[in-house]
Amino acid sequence: MIPSTWIDMPAPGTLPEHRREALESYLAQGLPHTRLEDWHYTALDHLARLPLHPPAAADVTPVIDEAPGHDLIFAGERLIETRSSLPASLLHPLAEGELTAAPTLAPGTALSALNAALWKSGGYLTVPRGQRLERPVFLRFLADEPEAMLHPRSLIRLEAGAEVVVVESYTGATAANYWCNPVTEIELEAGARLTHIRLIEEGTAATHTGLTAVRQVADSRYELLDLSLGGRVCRHELYLTLTGAGAACRLDGLFLADGRRHSDHHLRIEHAVPGSMSRATYRGVAAGRGRGIFDARVLIRPGADGTDARQDSRNLLLSPHAEIDAKPQLEIYADQVQASHGATVGRLSEDAMFYLRARGIERHAARRLLLAAFAGEALGLVAQAGLGDWLMPRIEARLNEIGESIK
Amino acid sequence: MLEIRDLHVSIGDKPILKGISLTILPGEVHAIMGPNGSGKSTLAQVLAGREGYTVTAGAVTWQGQDLLAMAPEERAWAGLFLGFQYPLEIPGVANVQLLKEAVNSQRRRKGLPELDAFDFLERVKASLKLLEMDEAMLYRGVNEGFSGGEKKRNEILQMLMLEPRLAILDETDSGLDIDALKIVARGVNALRGPERAILLVTHYQRLLEHITPDHVHVLADGRIVASGGRELALELEAKGYGWLTAEAGQEARP
């Protein structure tokens, strides 16, 4: 049963039809547990023990830094500020009717259904045919209320040939044990191009279970930077379908799992037609008692000949108690495909450390250089999106923390 | 300035150096020659502080300090430099980044302010010119995709920037064609001075045609079996190592 405290809208009986159906779907499935193959690595038992409730009305507006772009800022699932010069028709808080009118891209998983039942707000961005937005669009979600349950919902649509950079960030400044369960659906029409920076920097006791669903048609290009820097138990699921020839995706990721962080990256990529391409390049760092997971599956459907799919997961273990599971998988039902996957888990090179120290570079500085170099392999999109000044200090600060935490 | 006394070193249970004694004074150039497996590189690595070696006996004193008690970076700050036989490739760390970090951490230790970007670049450019290196090399990953000769030149570039009191050059001549050898030698000679010393570790004597040593030592089976002047290197060139290593073998017998 779902606790009645989870819902602060009309009683379940009076929910709109689609929300009631979603709720029933969640109830039928229940909270995911580790006996499910897809949840093998991530336990959410602690959520069942928390007296979760919808966020209370925030009486304080948090101060938030200036982002270099158009910006929708949400706190506790409420829009608190719009800093945008775009027409409101392009960028605004998602309306119920907009979601129900759009094709559903998110799969019907338990948590995605729960989001569909309970979401209150999120971003809506549409970029008209052939338009290229000069400045990035930020959708920022803040949280800091203990035991709050947040289900932000966003929808991003790029019409044919449209182009934009979107930064979607989830931030918590405190040690509150809230749960954020966002769903973002993205539809790219022919020739559209989206660069998507997705940033998890939740509070130190927070749980994040995000889902991104992407559908691409011919000649569209989707570039993701999947960053997991903060939060206690974090998981991001990406469901991406390539349904047109010439569609291509580049999925870069970096997770930093130190202390007792848990960061699970669950990728499901589907090549449905001939002639599409996918690249997944993930770098993971685990220190302390941290745990990282790269669990990716590329499915190449019958007839999707000429598919070109590669997965590359490289990981660094910086402590004997840290753990990384890298599990790239391929499921191929087509002919003449180019598909490969590779995964490594290793340590910082002793030889490289000695080389740098022999040049008079202190141990911690040498480690910082090597960590930054390693992480940098997955960060090519940062400069390409022109977000170095905004993003790199956050990443570097976390890398430094990790570098200095090692004895 | 450097005094090695009866140094014994093992890797695991296997003794590699079996009692090396060597004194290097400021201004001197020493060459250590010897066949493969004689312990030359082990000596260089132990002096630079590489882990994985066990010093079972003996001592090394550097300017009055116990060198073996110092961390690799402390040895570098104290003026020791090792030119690697196989310089490492470190993709993602730009050459210029390594040079700046190295120069500035040394300056911080000496209580000097960090070099400003302009002065730093001026100094690098002068060294690049001497070594006939392209400025673009600065912005590439450390040794990433460098040819053998470029890597060795890059070692010398780092050496010139750090201005060590003692440079240990481990087989810096190996894999170099004659032009590259001359350029490397030019770099090394530029460092020579009354306060500085150089220890060349080499298999062949051809480097010594370009960097004239004051003392030549022959290492065989973990021991110095002969020491002499420049002429010893020439004798080795003519006769090979056989006559010395055979003697060492006999000597080793009880």
Side-chain angles (χ1 to χ4, degrees):
Chain A
M1 250 332 270
I2 188 161
S4 59
T5 53
W6 281 24
I7 301 165
D8 68 346
M9 18 169 85
T14 63
L15 280 177
E17 177 69 18
H18 58 276
R19 286 191 181 246
R20 203 174 61 235
E21 280 173 16
L23 194 56
E24 278 161 10
S25 165
Y26 170 76
L27 289 172
Q29 299 181 69
L31 197 65
H33 49 78
T34 52
R35 295 182 303 283
L36 297 169
E37 197 197 334
D38 274 351
W39 283 87
H40 181 65
Y41 299 104
T42 301
L44 297 178
D45 305 349
H46 63 287
L47 292 178
R49 291 192 295 269
L50 284 181
L52 292 163
H53 54 75
D59 46 3
V60 182
T61 301
V63 181
I64 184 161
D65 66 292
E66 203 65 43
H70 313 287
D71 200 0
L72 287 191
I73 303 169
F74 301 84
E77 269 212 86
R78 268 173 203 82
L79 179 72
I80 56 162
E81 208 177 333
T82 302
R83 300 172 181 166
S84 164
S85 57
L86 289 175
S89 59
L90 268 55
L91 178 66
H92 57 251
L94 179 64
E96 182 112 23
E98 284 168 330
L99 187 65
T100 47
T104 302
L105 302 180
T109 62
L111 295 184
S112 140
L114 187 64
N115 174 288
L118 302 180
W119 74 272
K120 287 204 191 67
S121 68
Y124 174 87
L125 170 70
T126 181
V127 186
R129 193 179 183 85
Q131 269 199 36
R132 176 173 175 274
L133 300 189
E134 287 294 330
R135 306 184 71 207
V137 174
F138 286 74
L139 303 174
R140 295 200 279 176
F141 299 89
L142 315 178
D144 61 4
E145 188 188 343
E147 286 145 20
M149 187 172 59
L150 307 144
H151 301 278
R153 182 99 189 184
S154 299
L155 195 58
I156 298 168
R157 285 189 53 230
L158 269 61
E159 292 182 7
E163 213 176 311
V164 66
V165 172
V166 171
V167 179
E168 181 188 357
S169 75
Y170 297 90
T171 306
T174 62
N177 56 345
Y178 61 87
W179 173 27
C180 184
N181 178 48
V183 171
T184 299
E185 291 172 301
I186 297 171
E187 183 153 27
L188 304 183
E189 291 184 3
R193 179 177 182 145
L194 173 64
T195 302
H196 182 196
I197 315 277
R198 190 185 192 281
L199 174 61
I200 304 178
E201 47 179 19
E202 303 279 20
T204 50
T207 302
H208 178 103
T209 52
L211 185 149
T212 305
V214 185
R215 187 164 72 190
Q216 293 185 247
V217 298
D219 299 320
S220 61
R221 185 170 175 88
Y222 175 66
E223 295 175 328
L224 169 69
L225 176 57
D226 185 4
L227 284 171
S228 175
L229 306 182
R232 173 69 172 76
V233 175
C234 295
R235 170 163 159 126
H236 177 224
E237 301 183 5
L238 172 72
Y239 294 84
L240 182 139
T241 314
L242 298 142
T243 63
C249 67
R250 166 180 174 178
L251 313 171
D252 292 354
L254 172 67
F255 61 81
L256 306 178
D258 56 336
R260 289 181 173 271
R261 278 202 85 213
H262 178 105
S263 193
D264 181 356
H265 300 264
H266 189 83
L267 276 55
R268 294 295 178 263
I269 301 154
E270 181 182 334
H271 294 265
V273 297
S276 63
M277 185 180 98
S278 66
R279 292 276 180 281
T281 307
Y282 273 65
R283 297 292 177 263
V285 177
R289 291 183 177 274
R291 187 167 185 206
I293 296 113
F294 173 81
D295 176 8
R297 183 152 71 225
V298 171
L299 168 65
I300 304 176
R301 292 255 181 225
D305 300 340
T307 290
D308 179 356
R310 285 179 216 168
Q311 300 172 68
D312 165 33
S313 157
R314 284 182 52 203
N315 303 283
L316 272 185
L317 277 182
L318 299 179
S319 101
H321 303 293
E323 183 178 339
I324 289 184
D325 297 282
K327 198 176 157 198
Q329 304 143 78
L330 283 167
E331 229 177 293
I332 304 173
Y333 302 101
D335 300 323
Q336 307 215 310
V337 301
Q338 285 195 327
S340 67
H341 62 67
T344 61
V345 179
R347 288 164 209 290
L348 272 187
S349 157
E350 281 298 319
D351 291 338
M353 282 294 291
F354 176 63
Y355 188 75
L356 294 172
R357 293 176 69 199
R359 294 297 173 257
I361 299 173
E362 289 100 325
R363 199 194 290 260
H364 69 89
R367 201 179 284 128
R368 176 168 50 73
L369 281 176
L370 295 179
L371 272 178
F374 176 78
E377 292 175 15
L379 296 174
L381 288 174
V382 178
Q384 187 191 303
L387 287 166
D389 289 345
W390 188 78
L391 202 48
M392 285 315 289
R394 293 158 191 263
I395 300 171
E396 282 163 5
R398 289 286 288 123
L399 288 172
N400 288 347
E401 270 176 37
I402 291 176
E404 277 158 26
S405 73
I406 306 167
K407 275 158 235 123
Chain B
M1 127 191 271
L2 179 78
E3 195 184 350
I4 305 173
R5 276 193 318 265
D6 193 33
L7 184 66
H8 287 68
V9 173
S10 299
I11 301 177
D13 293 338
K14 193 169 184 266
I16 306 292
L17 299 182
K18 302 169 183 172
I20 303 270
S21 294
L22 180 66
T23 301
I24 297 178
L25 299 175
E28 292 181 344
V29 175
H30 288 245
I32 291 201
M33 303 185 67
N36 292 327
S38 56
K40 303 191 299 289
S41 279
T42 297
L43 179 62
Q45 298 271 321
V46 168
L47 291 178
R50 183 82 163 105
E51 283 172 20
Y53 299 94
T54 314
V55 175
T56 51
V60 182
T61 312
W62 166 252
Q63 296 179 315
Q65 282 181 282
D66 175 6
L67 183 76
L68 299 177
M70 295 159 77
E73 57 270 35
E74 293 171 330
R75 301 182 196 203
W77 301 330
L80 207 83
F81 178 91
L82 171 66
F84 281 61
Q85 182 179 5
Y86 303 108
L88 237 69
E89 296 196 18
I90 311 180
V93 177
N95 241 338
V96 68
Q97 226 178 335
L98 181 149
L99 290 171
K100 262 189 199 152
E101 288 271 357
V103 169
N104 283 329
S105 60
Q106 190 186 51
R107 290 179 66 90
R108 279 196 300 273
R109 286 287 148 173
K110 290 182 180 161
L112 296 169
E114 296 195 357
L115 221 49
D116 75 46
F118 182 80
D119 290 340
F120 175 82
L121 214 59
E122 284 293 291
R123 275 192 51 198
V124 178
K125 279 183 179 170
S127 300
L128 285 170
K129 198 173 167 210
L130 183 73
L131 298 170
E132 298 178 29
M133 288 170 79
D134 191 351
E135 204 178 316
M137 298 270 252
L138 289 177
Y139 305 100
R140 285 167 62 183
V142 173
N143 293 319
E144 187 181 2
F146 285 22
S147 70
E150 285 172 335
K151 284 181 183 171
K152 295 298 171 73
R153 265 189 272 182
N154 206 24
E155 293 292 289
I156 301 303
L157 174 68
Q158 294 171 12
M159 182 189 79
L160 291 178
M161 291 300 292
L162 288 169
E163 299 180 314
R165 302 287 306 277
L166 172 67
I168 304 165
L169 301 176
D170 188 6
E171 308 247 0
T172 297
D173 52 333
S174 67
L176 295 185
D177 63 32
I178 186 65
D179 292 332
L181 187 74
K182 280 182 183 165
I183 292 168
V184 162
R186 190 196 300 155
V188 176
N189 286 324
L191 187 80
R192 286 182 79 158
E195 296 92 44
R196 301 182 202 285
I198 293 164
L199 178 60
L200 301 166
V201 174
T202 179
H203 187 89
Y204 302 104
Q205 76 89 33
R206 60 173 199 156
L207 179 67
L208 310 183
E209 288 171 11
H210 303 281
I211 309 168
T212 313
D214 303 303
H215 303 277
V216 175
H217 313 277
V218 180
L219 198 62
D221 192 29
R223 292 184 183 85
I224 291 177
V225 293
S227 290
R230 170 86 182 90
E231 66 291 343
L232 181 58
L234 297 171
E235 202 177 341
L236 282 170
E237 180 81 346
K239 290 161 69 175
Y241 286 110
W243 58 287
L244 281 167
T245 51
E247 275 175 28
Q250 280 162 17
E251 211 175 277
R253 262 178 230 135

